[in-house]
Amino acid sequence: MNHSISTPDYMNVDDLRAMQLKKLQKLVAYEYERVELFRRRCDEKGVKPSDIVTLADISKLPFMKKTDLRDEYPYGLTAAPMKEIVRFHCSSGTTGKPICIPNTMNDIKVWQDATARSLAMYGITDEDVLQVTYGYGLFTGGLGLHYGGEALGCAVLPIGGGNTEKQLMLMRDLGVTAIACTPSYFLRIADVARQMGIDFRRDTKLKHGIFGAEPWTEEMRRKIEEEAGIIAHDIYGLTEISGPGVAAACEHSNGLHVFEDHYYPEIIDPETLEPLPDGEKGELVFTTLDRFGTPMIRYRTRDLTRIHTEKCKCGRTMRVIDRISARSDDMLIIHGVNVFPSQVETGLLRVPEVAPHYQIIVTPTDTLDLLEIKVELKPEIFAEDVTNLEQIRKNTFNAVKNIIGISPKITFLPPQSLPRSEGKIKRVIDNRK
Ligand code: ADP
Ligand code: ZN
């Protein structure tokens, strides 16, 4: 069977920019006509659809934010008539009340195209057996990877999250070669595999992990690859912009290619809201060039990254963003210092004796806030009669402090003490809120 997915990944850059401009002009005119909030904001700024003459003119347009989706809930930002809407998705609600996005069939097809191209980028083909362990339903992970996998011709196992022993049994019995889930749930699967005596290398055909939906670090990627003998690929996306597959990592990129023919990226300074040139770090903003159900124009993701200036060795012309190591919502301010959970993770995973299971707890005290990091020791370390625990604690303290600049209290826990997650994990408990 010939599984046709589009392959604009290598498009000539001038042609790509011309295509983006055309799509942007069409989208802005469409949105201006149909979405009152957008029209009102454009009018306030004195900008009309006909003012979009070059791609740089996008900066004349107003931004959209998550609060707009909440304020205009449920249909205020929906541009298409109900007869064209075929499916709803809602965000996970990691940062508050979830938002709902009505999609048209075309929106679903565009998303499926990007997800299939992500899988193809990882070297996955119609020979692969893909276990979709992301949750199905309102969350975009499950159905997103499901349709992308089918479009590529993979044999898809739509198991969804949970029931870890069954996940492992089917993985082994069906010869699963690729699994898609959150990196934190894969850690849980690896734990249970160990308990069941399953060795991924020996007992399964697993080659690819497709991990996303939450921030994870380069250190975590290496750890997973070493432990499971697989390639851990990064996939990024968000419900507002469609779902997973907005950007995906190729083997050379050291970041993720954005499928720019569908999703136009900008980086802005989150304080001044001015666009930043490629290369500078700031907040990622997207315009959904091909979505007409609930189009997003200059949507502020609150995710922090930069767009690379150098071309990727793979030859794709789609621009590359740094791996999303932090969402600005996750930023903790402790003793006046900005701390991201991913920085703590990077420090912790440099210590060979600790396991990748941790929790960050911030508690107010009479003097300064206390930053406590609870982290599990590796089972093999814990099993030994550790005499050098104080040394390991000192190393862990230093590894974290060197990155975040403030002194954490390190508490070691036995294996399996901290809660595990089947979807996005919650690693931070902020008792100041
Ligand atoms: P919510 O905002 O409720 O979590 P979504 O389920 O739509 O809603 O999740 C989208 C968010 O998840 C992104 O904005 C980003 O912060 C995070 N995310 C998704 N994929 C990745 C990834 N590969 N790396 C880091 N963060 C990611
Ligand atoms: Zn590349």
Side-chain angles (χ1 to χ4, degrees):
M1 194 172 157
N2 181 18
H3 302 284
S4 55
I5 53 167
S6 70
T7 47
D9 296 14
Y10 301 88
M11 263 181 96
N12 169 290
V13 176
D14 293 339
D15 293 347
L16 175 62
R17 299 286 170 254
M19 179 211 240
Q20 288 169 324
L21 175 60
K22 244 173 131 173
K23 288 184 178 183
L24 177 68
Q25 288 168 326
K26 181 178 159 197
L27 179 78
V28 171
Y30 171 91
E31 184 82 348
Y32 188 83
E33 196 187 306
R34 291 166 182 244
V35 175
E36 207 229 309
L37 181 78
F38 181 70
R39 185 167 54 243
R40 201 171 62 232
R41 286 189 179 160
C42 284
D43 291 349
E44 279 163 16
K45 281 181 133 273
V47 55
K48 289 184 300 300
S50 56
D51 293 332
I52 307 300
V53 181
T54 67
L55 273 176
D57 291 332
I58 196 170
S59 66
K60 295 177 178 164
L61 297 169
F63 291 104
M64 288 180 176
K65 291 204 295 192
K66 201 163 218 156
T67 45
D68 295 334
L69 282 157
R70 291 193 181 125
D71 295 345
E72 299 292 313
Y73 175 89
Y75 291 123
L77 292 183
T78 306
M82 190 52 74
K83 68 173 189 282
E84 287 176 26
I85 301 299
V86 298
R87 198 198 295 166
F88 297 97
H89 277 290
C90 296
S91 80
S92 322
T94 311
T95 58
K97 188 177 172 208
I99 48 89
C100 269
I101 303 285
N103 288 265
T104 64
M105 186 49 93
N106 178 70
D107 297 340
I108 301 284
K109 294 274 179 229
V110 166
W111 176 25
Q112 169 184 310
D113 175 69
T115 315
R117 280 157 68 190
S118 307
L119 296 175
M121 198 184 283
Y122 306 145
I124 291 172
T125 69
D126 55 6
E127 303 279 343
D128 279 286
V129 181
L130 172 65
Q131 181 162 351
V132 179
T133 298
Y134 283 116
Y136 276 70
L138 291 176
F139 177 52
T140 52
L143 288 166
L145 266 302
H146 181 103
Y147 283 106
E150 283 190 353
L152 195 62
C154 299
V156 175
L157 177 64
I159 184 165
N163 206 342
T164 311
E165 292 192 2
K166 186 167 172 194
Q167 301 269 358
L168 283 156
M169 185 191 80
L170 291 174
M171 178 191 289
R172 188 184 50 197
D173 296 351
L174 299 179
V176 166
T177 54
I179 184 167
C181 59
T182 57
S184 54
Y185 188 45
F186 189 75
L187 293 176
R188 165 84 184 136
I189 294 176
D191 269 357
V192 176
R194 215 175 299 118
Q195 287 157 16
M196 290 168 71
I198 292 179
D199 175 335
F200 288 111
R201 287 180 177 80
R202 187 192 59 208
D203 304 317
T204 76
K205 293 195 174 140
L206 196 64
K207 271 204 315 248
H208 304 277
I210 300 141
F211 300 131
E214 62 187 11
W216 56 307
T217 57
E218 192 49 32
E219 286 71 18
M220 182 71 91
R221 190 179 66 77
R222 274 201 293 271
K223 200 144 208 147
I224 290 176
E225 290 193 339
E226 276 162 28
E227 170 150 351
I230 60 171
I231 309 170
H233 308 280
D234 199 1
I235 190 160
Y236 167 82
L238 58 165
T239 315
E240 300 87 316
I241 306 302
S242 62
V246 170
C250 81
E251 57 183 304
H252 299 290
S253 59
N254 207 8
L256 300 96
H257 288 279
V258 175
F259 295 106
E260 289 195 62
D261 49 326
H262 299 316
Y263 314 114
Y264 186 77
E266 295 175 83
I267 301 289
I268 60 159
D269 178 323
E271 302 295 327
T272 66
L273 306 186
E274 288 304 316
L276 293 173
D278 287 0
E280 285 189 33
K281 191 162 180 175
E283 181 179 341
L284 182 58
V285 167
F286 278 114
T287 298
T288 54
L289 297 175
D290 285 324
R291 284 169 60 82
F292 295 95
T294 315
M296 289 289 127
I297 295 180
R298 306 198 84 202
Y299 182 75
R300 295 183 56 184
T301 63
R302 316 221 1 109
D303 292 327
L304 304 173
T305 185
R306 72 186 175 102
I307 296 178
H308 292 193
T309 48
E310 59 284 5
K311 286 199 188 107
C312 186
K313 276 195 242 142
C314 73
R316 286 184 180 80
T317 47
M318 305 279 137
R319 279 176 293 172
V320 173
I321 53 172
D322 270 350
R323 138 200 300 285
I324 311 286
S325 58
R327 47 197 296 174
S328 45
D329 303 313
D330 287 345
M331 190 177 82
L332 293 162
I333 302 178
I334 306 171
H335 312 175
V337 178
N338 298 348
V339 175
F340 288 100
S342 54
Q343 295 175 303
V344 171
E345 179 175 300
T346 299
L348 287 177
L349 296 192
R350 287 184 183 159
V351 183
E353 292 88 354
V354 308
H357 302 288
Y358 63 95
Q359 206 168 54
I360 301 169
I361 300 150
V362 192
T363 310
T365 69
D366 290 343
T367 49
L368 287 169
D369 294 339
L370 175 71
L371 169 66
E372 181 182 12
I373 299 169
K374 291 186 174 170
V375 61
E376 291 180 14
L377 286 170
K378 280 189 174 161
E380 60 271 27
I381 302 294
F382 192 74
E384 286 168 15
D385 207 1
V386 245
T387 47
N388 58 343
L389 202 60
E390 274 323 300
Q391 188 57 46
I392 303 175
R393 194 191 312 280
K394 213 177 259 170
N395 294 348
T396 312
F397 174 91
N398 286 334
V400 175
K401 187 174 177 198
N402 283 344
I403 298 178
I404 64 174
I406 54 178
S407 302
K409 175 184 174 204
I410 304 287
T411 305
F412 288 137
L413 298 174
Q416 306 298 330
S417 315
L418 289 170
R420 302 298 199 250
S421 142
E422 289 172 2
K424 297 186 190 229
I425 195 155
K426 183 168 161 38
R427 295 202 193 271
V428 177
I429 298 174
D430 192 341
N431 292 322
R432 299 171 301 181
K433 285 180 181 167

